[in-house]
Amino acid sequence: MNLKKQNRLLLLAIVSGYFFVGISAYFQSQSTKSICLFKNLTGYPCPGCGATRSTILLFKGHFIESILLNPVGLIINIMAISAIILIVRDLLLNKTDFNRLVTKKIHPFLLAVIVILVLINWVWNIVKGV
């Protein structure tokens, strides 16, 4: 698959994710059942539990509540919106800047910090009972 097709597919996936968030916002008020497969199977929240609700709060302008619910939601949204902008820019200008950005290797120290932050967030989700 060539790079343009990959970028279009990724763009479609991100936009579909936001469509899912919109549908979740509607059904969130209709049901108390979690959509998280991990939580439904184990009874414990996953590190990402609450990210959809965090995104909904973020788009409603409730920034502090969004971050307190799950800071991963803010990070995911910053990355997703940045990806949309870069992919559209690359497609319009026939560039490959997005691909160069996402194929860069992550320094092992930075990767360790990310893993530790995810684990801390996971413990926080369990303690909060997300």
Side-chain angles (χ1 to χ4, degrees):
M1 185 181 307
N2 72 27
L3 190 57
K4 277 190 176 185
K5 285 183 182 177
Q6 286 177 351
N7 284 347
R8 286 184 188 130
L9 188 59
L10 181 58
L11 185 60
L12 178 63
I14 294 169
V15 171
S16 297
Y18 279 112
F19 180 73
F20 171 76
V21 167
I23 290 172
S24 294
Y26 172 75
F27 285 109
Q28 181 179 14
S29 61
Q30 308 293 323
S31 172
T32 57
K33 181 97 169 113
S34 174
I35 61 170
C36 177
L37 182 62
F38 184 86
K39 185 173 183 178
N40 289 334
L41 290 174
T42 67
Y44 295 102
C46 73
C49 272
T52 301
R53 287 174 282 157
S54 174
T55 297
I56 293 166
L57 287 169
L58 188 65
F59 285 162
K60 288 181 176 180
H62 304 288
F63 301 110
I64 302 299
E65 293 93 336
S66 171
I67 293 168
L68 290 175
L69 180 63
N70 193 338
V72 170
L74 177 64
I75 295 166
I76 290 170
N77 281 287
I78 289 170
M79 290 171 48
I81 292 169
S82 298
I84 289 171
I85 292 167
L86 288 173
I87 291 170
V88 169
R89 180 184 169 274
D90 281 0
L91 289 172
L92 291 174
L93 300 177
N94 202 26
K95 298 207 177 231
T96 60
D97 295 336
F98 178 76
N99 187 52
R100 278 185 281 164
L101 177 67
V102 297
T103 56
K104 283 188 177 185
K105 293 199 184 250
I106 298 176
H107 191 279
F109 177 76
L110 180 58
L111 188 58
V113 169
I114 292 168
V115 168
I116 290 168
L117 289 174
V118 168
L119 291 174
I120 289 169
N121 188 61
W122 193 3
V123 171
W124 189 26
N125 278 348
I126 293 169
V127 170
K128 288 185 305 185
V130 171

